[in-house]
């Protein structure tokens, strides 16, 4: 399975060899394929190409020093080692391979390589004799044993008069190898390349500038689903009502207050491959639009407050004639006969899957950390999961919907 480089971030370590000029072209090729590139140049690399050239092609600054005060304050080498999807070393010189195999961390490039847990692809480039040397062969075997992938070197004419293997793989070959490497990891990212929309939290329906109708939803389950979908590789938009939770990492969050704003934000976030409606949308709102003045208590008792029904966001999207996400998932919070109610809800709302949970007071689900859910499919099949943390429910749900979408 290959994987596109769109939206992927590549940390590119440029080693000090004549092939460094081809690393500049590699930056262009990776960007053409939709990746962003963070260049790191060794001191040797800077003898052949300038950080400025790498930065200009990458469209972001190039990193060179381990002890760069500006960079340490802003980003730091440990962050550099983490904030990407893969590390590519091109050219990987004999010296750089030896330092990698030995676990050296004397400069920024080797420190990043030692600190990273990301997949690493190296494109060796060196003199034929150096490539054939037993020391390089040993280092190569050590690196392969450590899980480092190698592309090239190719045989052919080199800067020196000798010919044979030692020439760095071409930039497009390196980009292809990177796609293959990331593709092999796509098992961990079953939603790579997919767009997922999640609603979460309650809505607030204003009565006047200070009062509103709301419910006890914390948003924990919806936010956990957005985080799990992002971890599975999806591009996630989370439309959230007012919650006291931090934004999940790697997720585009749109904050709204009312049901009508939530519907608008959801429509704006389409198209999506999967839409999960985990928000506890207020069913009703005051008919009278809230004005700018607080409603006064005048001693004659409360003024009547007629309510009107809010739009049903789930049903609206599940019944879209055009642009309906292929997989629409609803939630059902019930206090009794959970599964029967959920079956009826699937039919009423037109979604593909309902995640039903028991929110009776004994369950402690609303605002709590755990959830016991039943998955009810449109064809009537039911799957009941044990009581689980909301994060685990989210992970399992994401794996389940990824399977449905793939199958
Ligand atoms: O009808 P009920 O509120 O029980 O349905 C719950 C499901 O419908 C949840 O997925 C919820 O997010 C969604 N819903 C919605 N818009 C509403 C009411 C519920 O999207 N106005």
């Amino acid at each position: 399975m290959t994987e596109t480089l769109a939206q992927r971030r590549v940390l590119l370590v440029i080693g000090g060899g004549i092939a460094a000029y081809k690393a500049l072209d590699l930056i262009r090729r990776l960007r053409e394929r939709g990746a962003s590139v963070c260049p790191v140049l060794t001191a040797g690399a800077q003898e052949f190409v300038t950080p400025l050239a790498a930065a200009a092609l990458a469209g972001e600054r190039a990193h060179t020093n381990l002890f760069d005060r500006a960079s340490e304050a802003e980003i730091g080498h440990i962050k550099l080692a983490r904030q990407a999807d893969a590390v590519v070393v091109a050219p990987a010189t004999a010296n750089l391979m030896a330092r990698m195999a030995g676990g050296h961390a004397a400069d920024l490039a080797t420190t990043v390589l030692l600190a990273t847990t990301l997949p690493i692809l190296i494109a060796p480039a060196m003199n034929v004799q150096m490539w054939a040397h037993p020391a390089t062969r040993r280092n190569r075997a050590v690196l392969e044993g450590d899980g480092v992938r190698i592309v090239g070197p190719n045989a052919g004419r080199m800067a020196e008069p000798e010919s044979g293997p030692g020439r760095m793989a071409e930039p497009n070959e390196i980009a292809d190898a990177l796609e293959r490497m990331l593709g092999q990891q796509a098992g961990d990212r079953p939603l790579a390349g997919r767009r997922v929309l999640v609603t979460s939290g309650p809505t607030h329906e204003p009565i006047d500038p200070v009062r509103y109708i709301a419910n006890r939803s914390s948003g924990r389950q919806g936010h956990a689903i957005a985080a799990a979908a992002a971890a599975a590789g999806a591009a996630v938009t989370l439309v959230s009502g007012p919650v006291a939770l931090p934004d999940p990492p790697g997720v585009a969050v749109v904050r709204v207050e009312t049901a009508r704003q939530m519907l608008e934000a959801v429509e704006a976030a389409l198209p999506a491959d999967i839409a999960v409606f985990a928000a506890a949308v207020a069913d009703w709102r005051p008919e009278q639009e809230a004005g700018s003045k607080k409603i006064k208590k005048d001693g004659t008792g409360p003024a009547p407050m007629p309510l009107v029904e809010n739009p049903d966001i789930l049903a609206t999207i599940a019944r879209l004639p055009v642009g309906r996400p292929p997989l629409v998932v609803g939630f059902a919070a019930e206090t009794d006969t959970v599964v029967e109610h959920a079956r009826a809800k699937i039919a009423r709302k037109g979604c593909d899957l309902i995640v039903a949970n028991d929110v009776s007071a004994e369950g402690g689900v609303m605002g709590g950390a755990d959830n016991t859910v039943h998955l009810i499919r449109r064809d009537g099949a039911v799957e009941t999961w044990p009581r689980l943390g909301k994060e685990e429910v989210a992970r399992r749900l994401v794996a389940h919907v990824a399977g449905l979408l793939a199958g």
Side-chain angles (χ1 to χ4, degrees):
M1 179 179 174
T2 54
E3 165 95 344
T4 129
L5 294 182
Q7 312 280 331
R8 309 312 289 272
R9 183 155 176 79
V10 180
L11 188 74
L12 175 63
V13 175
I14 305 179
I18 182 64
Y21 79 93
K22 284 207 277 185
L24 296 182
D25 191 38
L26 176 61
I27 297 177
R28 293 179 50 203
R29 302 291 160 233
L30 294 173
R31 293 195 68 201
E32 269 168 19
R33 296 183 192 209
S36 63
V37 180
C38 172
V40 173
L41 282 79
T42 64
Q46 293 168 64
E47 299 290 327
F48 296 93
V49 295
T50 66
L52 197 59
L57 289 164
E60 59 182 88
R61 70 172 285 208
H63 302 265
T64 51
N65 293 323
L66 185 53
F67 303 107
D68 173 342
R69 283 169 109 201
S71 153
E72 280 299 314
E74 261 170 50
I75 181 156
H77 61 269
I78 299 297
K79 267 198 190 156
L80 268 184
R82 298 211 174 119
Q83 289 180 340
D85 295 296
V87 182
V88 174
V89 183
T93 59
N95 180 32
L96 195 46
M97 282 179 67
R99 288 190 292 151
M100 283 176 76
H104 293 219
D107 61 1
L108 179 62
T110 48
T111 303
V112 165
L113 284 161
L114 193 62
T116 192
T117 55
L118 299 171
I120 302 176
L121 173 71
I122 66 171
M126 65 198 72
N127 164 279
V128 183
Q129 312 304 344
M130 289 167 83
W131 178 246
H133 196 283
T136 305
R137 293 220 296 260
R138 275 198 305 277
N139 292 333
R140 176 190 172 171
V142 167
L143 292 173
E144 280 178 327
D146 290 346
V148 171
R149 305 299 177 90
I150 302 182
V151 54
N154 296 339
R157 285 230 352 252
M158 308 220 296
E160 290 101 349
E162 295 129 323
S163 71
R167 197 181 143 90
M168 189 172 88
E170 293 306 315
N172 271 326
E173 290 175 315
I174 299 173
D176 289 345
L178 178 60
E179 284 183 353
R180 280 197 301 279
M181 182 174 81
L182 290 172
Q184 276 154 9
Q185 306 208 315
D188 306 336
R189 296 168 60 87
L191 292 181
R194 303 288 197 176
R195 287 173 62 106
V196 175
L197 168 66
V198 182
T199 69
S200 183
T203 64
H204 286 181
E205 309 296 333
I207 297 168
D208 67 16
V210 294
R211 304 182 180 99
Y212 56 82
I213 299 175
N215 59 64
R216 294 185 188 283
S217 167
S218 65
R220 285 182 69 159
Q221 186 64 78
H223 277 55
I225 292 166
V236 183
T237 303
L238 172 65
V239 180
S240 175
V243 294
L245 297 172
D247 290 351
V251 167
V253 181
V254 184
R255 284 183 201 77
V256 298
E257 276 208 12
T258 68
R260 286 181 296 172
Q261 290 167 354
M262 187 173 274
L263 175 59
E264 223 171 87
V266 162
E267 285 172 335
L270 292 177
D273 298 293
I274 302 171
V276 181
F277 294 92
V281 183
D283 291 313
W284 301 284
R285 67 174 184 274
E287 184 176 42
Q288 183 77 42
E289 292 279 340
S292 57
K293 291 216 168 64
K294 183 180 167 193
I295 300 170
K296 288 272 187 315
K297 177 168 67 179
D298 64 4
T300 61
M305 189 173 62
L307 300 176
V308 287
E309 205 163 315
N310 266 327
D312 189 314
I313 304 168
L314 167 61
T316 306
I317 301 305
R319 297 201 182 288
L320 276 180
V322 181
R324 178 197 193 272
L327 199 56
V328 177
V329 182
F331 270 70
E334 306 287 353
T335 50
D336 58 289
T337 50
V338 176
V339 173
E340 284 87 300
H341 276 117
R343 282 212 176 98
K345 196 162 287 184
I346 290 199
R348 204 166 61 242
K349 305 230 182 191
C351 55
D352 304 295
L353 187 72
I354 285 268
V355 183
N357 46 24
D358 185 343
V359 291
S360 55
E362 310 90 78
V365 167
M366 275 290 197
D370 292 343
N371 212 348
T372 306
V373 306
H374 312 272
L375 249 55
I376 296 104
R377 288 212 313 248
R378 203 208 280 264
D379 63 11
V382 181
E383 204 175 299
T384 299
W385 292 347
R387 187 181 176 94
L388 298 165
K390 287 181 176 173
E391 281 72 26
E392 184 56 22
V393 168
R395 274 192 290 276
R396 289 192 187 201
L397 181 64
V398 162
H400 191 88
V401 294
L404 288 178
L405 205 63

